[in-house]
Amino acid sequence: LCVLFFLYILWGPIVEASRKNLNFRKFKFFSIFDGFVSDIYQFEKIESSREQTNKYGRLELIEKKRTWIVLELEDDEGYLGKISFPKENKHSLIRKGANIRCLVTSDSRSFNSKLLLTDALLPDLNLWVGEYPYLLRPAFEEICFLYKNKF
């Protein structure tokens, strides 16, 4: 039993990361999105809830909430989509109109069907945002730098 528990501690994070990365295997087309933040808003997400009795013996619902930020992304051609992530203090620097770059995936070459956005880079603030780090960030920064200097 101890060996199984130890193996779970070692391999559990790797299995979880592999499960999340499997979402990208079903997409055939990838593109780098270079646009701006068109809107920012926040919402509360319940991470866990439990019932507990108070000092009078009545049940109370205890909820653990976390604030999430949603960025709506847009470029010169119009609205692209949303990216959401848990709020941290460093995210207070994000403003409407800030430049943003991320990887966009789709099933179709024209990118008009279901889109999936990865974690995003705000190059002016040198800030990465996203729920899960799908990209190898230094490599993505280098590709974006080369792309920007080429065109």
Side-chain angles (χ1 to χ4, degrees):
L1 186 62
C2 290
V3 171
L4 288 176
F5 182 71
F6 183 71
L7 287 175
Y8 176 76
I9 289 174
L10 288 178
W11 289 99
I14 295 169
V15 171
E16 182 67 20
S18 298
R19 188 184 61 77
K20 288 182 179 182
N21 290 334
L22 279 176
N23 289 336
F24 283 106
R25 296 208 176 189
K26 60 185 172 184
F27 294 104
K28 298 177 185 172
F29 302 99
F30 296 83
S31 178
I32 294 176
F33 172 76
D34 186 15
F36 58 92
V37 177
S38 62
D39 195 16
I40 304 170
Y41 57 92
Q42 300 179 10
F43 70 95
E44 294 284 324
K45 187 174 183 179
I46 299 172
E47 289 187 341
S48 64
S49 63
R50 61 185 172 91
E51 290 183 349
Q52 180 177 328
T53 57
N54 62 11
K55 62 182 179 180
Y56 303 111
R58 295 187 186 132
L59 281 178
E60 293 179 336
L61 183 64
I62 308 295
E63 295 178 335
K64 182 180 176 187
K65 295 181 181 181
R66 190 164 186 186
T67 304
W68 283 60
I69 296 177
V70 178
L71 302 179
E72 292 188 359
L73 309 181
E74 195 173 306
D75 64 0
D76 296 335
E77 296 177 8
Y79 178 78
L80 175 72
K82 301 175 185 178
I83 188 166
S84 60
F85 49 92
K87 182 181 180 181
E88 296 177 13
N89 290 338
K90 61 186 176 183
H91 297 140
S92 63
L93 300 172
I94 302 171
R95 303 281 182 250
K96 288 183 184 179
N99 292 330
I100 193 163
R101 293 187 184 117
C102 65
L103 192 68
V104 181
T105 63
S106 178
D107 287 334
S108 69
R109 186 179 301 270
S110 62
F111 287 89
N112 58 6
S113 65
K114 182 182 173 187
L115 299 176
L116 182 65
L117 306 174
T118 64
D119 43 333
L121 170 65
L122 292 139
D124 299 335
L125 302 173
N126 195 22
L127 179 67
W128 282 91
V129 296
E131 182 179 356
Y132 174 77
Y134 290 101
L135 300 175
L136 183 60
R137 292 176 172 181
F140 185 76
E141 289 173 357
E142 187 175 331
I143 289 170
C144 289
F145 178 74
L146 293 173
Y147 174 78
K148 183 178 178 181
N149 290 339
K150 188 174 182 179
F151 297 103

